[in-house]
């Protein structure tokens, strides 16, 4: 059983290993700087389906199939599927769970869904619930755009502080035995709301959530930023990352070159995404490609993975409510 | 920003929002205006050219009919470019330059039609055709009434 240390952090009795992983991205992401790390990419973001909602499902199902193949496990070896996505009622994951037929726990924390799934799965495995758990999440630019913004072909300008929802999926199988990177600590986030209402400015809304979880984790574990090779957030983007650094500095923690953000590194400046990528698939795909690759090469040995999620709905936003945000953290070691 | 020293959440949020407002990257006014002027002006020049050509070819046509034809031509071109997925790129560059002329309205209708036909002809396309353009019509009509009332009041004296 995981042991609580401090206020929010849990140390696993037995580390939980990443035994399989996959990342699958769309065309724009495949043209970005992390191209060579992704397992698969496609130039057809419809995946041959008639709607973008269906193509998102198809992306997710492919990610799971590739992940199974990567782990050399069979369908029957998976005990539970944990995952979520950005679409209303998490239809993408629901239909995917129906297709594979595993017992399913749906979790939603918007773009922090990957770390939430992994944290929940790690605690379950540590408590002897199941042997292998599949975690999956992702996002699709077109389906997210039509749910959160408006028609795709609408000729409107984006704010300079906005971000671009990635078309990407990431799947991870966690198991109790393995030799790859392992999860040793998890820190469940609290909902944090600093009053930002502008849904185009996600970085500003989510940075305080990342700061509060990270600071609490440092206090709980009695560590500091220098103890880690990489501290990576999910989709704060360039602007949000700068805000987070400022907020951390106020709390007396200085992060340097070991800090990064998946959204910031997934696109380069020429791709005109302003502050970078966003969406649940952003951190999920970067974790299952670049981060774990580099850990297996022992470039990074201790990694804090802590994507952030904005928990508003379009309705709450139109009614003038500010954006509640959350950040769940996992510590990966090799 | 010194968030440490504040007592209440309201105070903290206000400090934070002020900080965000000051720090958020801004778009360049000069650049946006220039792009809007270039494309918006270009659309107007094109419209005027079509109008002059029509006038030269059909000297007997009424001015109102010519201006209707100019609208029909510009709207059709916009809808076709929207359908081919080109117009949103022009709009991203031009901003108000494509929103203000009739092109903005045409694109709002065309893009909604394309987007929502997947949910069916009645509850998709039918219900959401004016998803973006609806507010424009409502505001347009409302303000027309207000301006009309003001004018008629002025006319009384």
């Amino acid at each position: 059983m995981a042991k609580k240390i401090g206020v929010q952090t849990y140390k696993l009795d037995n580390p939980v290993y990443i035994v399989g992983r996959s990342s699958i991205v769309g065309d724009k992401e495949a043209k970005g700087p992390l191209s060579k790390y992704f397992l698969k990419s496609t130039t057809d973001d419809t995946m041959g389906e008639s709607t973008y909602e269906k193509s998102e499902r198809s992306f997710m199902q492919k990610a799971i199939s590739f992940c199974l193949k990567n782990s050399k496990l069979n369908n029957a070896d998976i005990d539970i599927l944990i995952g979520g996505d950005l679409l209303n009622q998490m239809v993408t994951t629901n239909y995917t769970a129906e297709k594979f037929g595993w017992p399913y726990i749906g979790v939603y924390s918007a773009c922090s869904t990957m770390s939430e799934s992994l944290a929940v799965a790690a605690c379950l495995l540590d408590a002897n619930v199941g042997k292998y758990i599949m975690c999956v999440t992702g996002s699709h630019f077109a389906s997210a755009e039509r749910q959160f913004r408006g028609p795709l072909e609408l000729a409107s300008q984006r704010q300079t502080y906005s971000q671009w929802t990635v078309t990407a999926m990431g799947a991870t199988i966690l198991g109790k035995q393995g030799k790859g990177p392992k999860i040793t600590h998890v820190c469940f986030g609290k909902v944090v709301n600093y009053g930002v209402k502008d849904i185009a400015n996600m970085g500003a809304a989510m940075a305080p959530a990342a700061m509060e979880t990270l600071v609490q984790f440092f206090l709980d574990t009695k560590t500091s930023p220098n103890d880690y090779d990489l501290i990576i957030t999910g989709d704060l983007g360039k602007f949000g990352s700068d805000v987070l650094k400022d907020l951390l500095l106020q709390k007396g923690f200085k992060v340097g070159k070991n800090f990064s953000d998946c959204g910031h590194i997934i696109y380069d400046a020429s791709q005109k995404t302003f502050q970078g990528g966003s969406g649940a698939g952003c951190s999920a795909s970067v974790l299952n490609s670049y981060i774990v690759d580099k850990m297996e090469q022992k470039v990074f040995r201790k990694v804090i993975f802590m994507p952030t999620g904005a928990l508003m709905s379009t309705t709450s936003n139109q009614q003038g409510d500010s954006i509640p945000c959350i950040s769940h953290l996992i510590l990966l070691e090799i | 920003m010194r968030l440490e020293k504040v007592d209440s959440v309201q105070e903290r949020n206000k400090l934070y929002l002020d900080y965000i407002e000051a720090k958020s990257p801004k778009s360049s006014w000069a650049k946006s205006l220039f792009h809007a002027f270039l494309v918006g002006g270009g659309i107007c020049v094109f419209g005027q050219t079509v109008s002059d050509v029509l006038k030269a070819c059909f000297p007997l046509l009424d001015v109102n009919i010519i201006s209707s034809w100019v609208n029909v031509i510009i709207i059709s071109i916009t809808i076709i470019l929207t359908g081919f997925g080109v117009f949103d790129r022009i709009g991203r560059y031009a901003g108000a330059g494509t929103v203000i002329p009739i092109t903005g309205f045409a694109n709002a209708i065309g893009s909604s039609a394309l987007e929502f036909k997947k949910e069916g002809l009645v509850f998709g396309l039918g219900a959401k055709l004016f998803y973006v353009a609806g507010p424009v019509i409502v505001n347009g009509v409302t303000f027309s009434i207000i301006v009309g009332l003001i004018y008629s009041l002025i006319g009384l004296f």
Side-chain angles (χ1 to χ4, degrees):
Chain A
M1 292 282 276
K3 196 171 125 232
K4 188 174 179 183
I5 49 172
V7 182
Q8 269 169 259
T9 308
Y10 294 86
K11 182 179 189 301
L12 302 184
D13 266 352
N14 303 296
V16 170
Y17 292 83
I18 293 179
V19 296
R21 62 194 170 97
S22 71
S23 55
I24 171 166
V25 299
D27 196 33
K28 194 177 177 92
E29 294 69 29
K31 286 179 178 145
L34 299 182
S35 178
K36 64 176 178 195
Y37 298 102
F38 296 125
L39 181 68
K40 298 271 175 189
S41 69
T42 172
T43 48
D44 177 18
D45 68 350
T46 69
M47 303 292 273
E49 302 283 353
S50 57
T51 71
Y52 286 118
E53 285 74 11
K54 286 194 177 74
S55 58
E56 187 174 319
R57 270 168 236 169
S58 176
F59 259 100
M60 188 177 267
Q61 286 156 16
K62 286 227 156 56
I64 288 182
S65 301
F66 288 133
C67 191
L68 275 172
K69 207 186 267 178
N70 176 267
S71 68
K72 301 190 177 67
L73 294 170
N74 299 317
N75 260 22
D77 295 325
I78 303 296
D79 296 300
I80 304 171
L81 169 70
I82 302 182
D85 57 272
L86 300 182
L87 299 188
N88 292 339
Q89 285 75 44
M90 305 198 301
V91 281
T92 307
T93 324
N94 298 347
Y95 283 105
T96 304
E98 180 195 346
K99 177 156 170 124
F100 285 91
W102 296 313
Y104 161 54
I105 302 173
V107 294
Y108 181 82
S109 53
C111 310
S112 185
T113 302
M114 195 69 214
S115 61
E116 185 181 12
S117 311
L118 291 169
V120 170
C123 290
L124 287 176
L125 288 169
D126 192 30
N128 283 324
V129 179
K131 217 169 154 196
Y132 293 105
I133 298 182
M134 170 81 75
C135 298
V136 70
T137 189
S139 51
H140 193 299
F141 171 77
S143 60
E145 196 74 358
R146 63 199 307 260
Q147 179 174 305
F148 291 103
R149 277 168 51 90
L152 281 172
E153 299 302 331
L154 185 66
S156 60
Q157 274 183 324
R158 286 168 173 272
Q159 308 280 15
T160 45
Y161 46 74
S162 68
Q163 288 165 257
W164 189 275
T165 308
V166 302
T167 302
M169 286 285 162
T172 313
I173 298 174
L174 292 182
K176 299 177 76 164
Q177 255 115 45
K179 13 183 223 278
K182 55 186 188 273
I183 299 173
T184 58
H185 292 69
V186 305
C187 178
F188 293 104
K190 292 178 180 173
V191 173
V192 173
N193 188 339
Y194 274 37
V196 175
K197 291 183 179 177
D198 184 352
I199 51 167
N201 204 347
M202 285 297 185
M206 299 191 300
M211 179 274 282
E212 297 214 353
T213 301
L214 190 56
V215 166
Q216 194 58 55
F217 179 75
F218 287 146
L219 296 176
D220 287 349
T221 54
K222 301 189 177 63
T223 56
S224 71
N226 290 333
D227 296 325
Y228 302 94
D229 301 314
L230 178 70
I231 299 168
I232 191 160
T233 49
D235 54 356
L236 291 178
K238 187 185 175 307
F239 175 60
S241 304
D242 292 343
V243 173
L244 174 61
K245 285 179 195 166
D246 277 5
L247 290 169
L248 284 171
L249 214 52
Q250 291 210 359
K251 295 277 181 186
F253 294 101
K254 187 169 167 34
V255 291
K257 282 212 168 109
N258 60 346
F259 175 81
S260 188
D261 177 73
C262 301
H264 187 196
I265 59 176
I266 199 167
Y267 298 123
D268 66 36
S270 69
Q271 291 181 293
K272 297 203 171 104
T273 58
F274 294 111
Q275 302 305 322
S278 69
C282 187
S283 56
S285 61
V286 174
L287 171 73
N288 286 296
S289 56
Y290 171 75
I291 298 173
V292 176
D293 273 9
K294 291 283 179 193
M295 289 191 82
E296 284 174 348
Q297 294 162 13
K298 310 276 162 70
V299 179
F300 305 133
R301 285 166 180 277
K302 275 182 107 175
V303 174
I304 291 179
F305 175 71
M306 46 167 323
T308 48
L311 305 177
M312 83 294 158
S313 75
T314 45
T315 308
S316 72
N317 185 255
Q318 281 165 358
Q319 291 175 352
D321 294 321
S322 55
I323 306 170
C325 297
I326 198 159
S327 177
H328 300 291
L329 178 154
I330 58 171
L331 175 62
L332 291 158
E333 291 180 68
I334 189 154
Chain B
M1 174 183 62
R2 289 303 309 170
L3 299 180
E4 288 305 281
K5 289 177 186 157
V6 299
D7 309 319
S8 72
V9 169
Q10 284 80 6
E11 216 176 313
R12 177 199 71 185
N13 288 3
K14 197 189 167 301
L15 275 179
Y16 183 66
L17 292 174
D18 289 346
Y19 155 83
I20 290 298
E21 177 68 32
K23 200 180 157 85
S24 287
K26 309 279 183 299
S27 55
S28 154
W29 274 80
K31 206 169 126 192
S32 304
L33 282 173
F34 178 69
H35 287 177
F37 172 75
L38 206 68
V39 180
I43 292 169
C44 296
V45 169
F46 174 77
Q48 190 60 48
T49 311
V50 172
S51 167
D52 289 352
V53 169
L54 284 175
K55 227 176 271 176
C57 296
F58 309 101
L60 296 176
L61 267 187
D62 184 59
V63 186
N64 287 330
I65 293 182
I66 288 179
S67 66
S68 298
W69 271 107
V70 172
N71 274 341
V72 168
I73 289 165
I74 292 179
I75 289 170
S76 306
I77 291 173
T78 306
I79 300 275
I80 290 165
L81 290 178
T82 302
F84 279 108
V86 182
F87 199 79
D88 59 325
R89 287 178 212 177
I90 303 173
R92 214 169 290 157
Y93 173 83
T98 51
V99 173
I100 302 294
I102 192 73
T103 46
F105 198 82
N107 169 256
I109 297 276
S111 60
S112 299
L114 272 174
E115 194 63 58
F116 298 113
K117 72 168 194 284
K118 286 165 192 151
E119 280 87 37
L121 284 176
V122 178
F123 293 106
L125 192 110
K128 290 188 172 165
L129 189 60
F130 287 85
Y131 176 72
V132 183
V136 181
I137 296 177
V138 172
N139 283 300
V141 170
T142 311
F143 285 107
S144 303
I145 292 170
I146 293 171
V147 172
L149 279 173
I150 293 171
Y151 261 94
S152 60
L153 280 176
I154 292 171
L156 289 177
F157 302 102

